[in-house]
Amino acid sequence: MGIFIWHQASFYQWLKANLADYGFFFPYSIDKGGVAPEPWHISHRQVANECLTQLSLTYLEQELSKNPILGQGPVMANLESIYNQYITNITSE
């Protein structure tokens, strides 16, 4: 149970056991080499899938190209890697 040894531990255990019944999942439950594990982070599966469908690499590239941002060159040069490692690299459970 690790970091969840506190007053909400019983709620967290209930959440882990039941969140799928309500359409939710833990997208960052394990370290997949992108976002660090976030055992408190839940997402609604249908909404997450719709967002991932809409936020394609092409769309992200187009939107980032519209306005200059600090570090835009390195971001754009590594966008595919960033996208794959930090946006679509979620736990499917």
Side-chain angles (χ1 to χ4, degrees):
M1 199 154 54
I3 65 170
F4 293 101
I5 301 176
W6 35 275
H7 69 283
Q8 293 184 352
S10 61
F11 170 72
Y12 181 72
Q13 292 304 315
W14 178 89
L15 189 63
K16 281 178 50 176
N18 295 284
L19 83 162
D21 296 340
Y22 299 94
F24 289 87
F25 71 110
F26 290 104
Y28 306 113
S29 61
I30 59 172
D31 186 352
K32 294 184 69 178
V35 175
E38 295 182 349
W40 59 87
H41 187 139
I42 62 173
S43 291
H44 190 266
R45 185 171 306 284
Q46 181 180 350
V47 173
N49 288 339
E50 289 173 15
C51 288
L52 285 173
T53 299
Q54 293 176 20
L55 186 60
S56 67
L57 178 59
T58 302
Y59 177 78
L60 184 58
E61 185 175 35
Q62 290 169 352
E63 291 301 307
L64 288 171
S65 296
K66 287 181 181 179
N67 295 295
I69 61 170
L70 186 61
Q72 188 170 22
V75 168
M76 297 303 280
N78 295 287
L79 190 58
E80 185 173 0
S81 175
I82 293 167
Y83 180 80
N84 290 330
Q85 189 169 358
Y86 295 101
I87 295 176
T88 61
N89 190 23
I90 60 175
T91 305
S92 61
E93 59 185 51

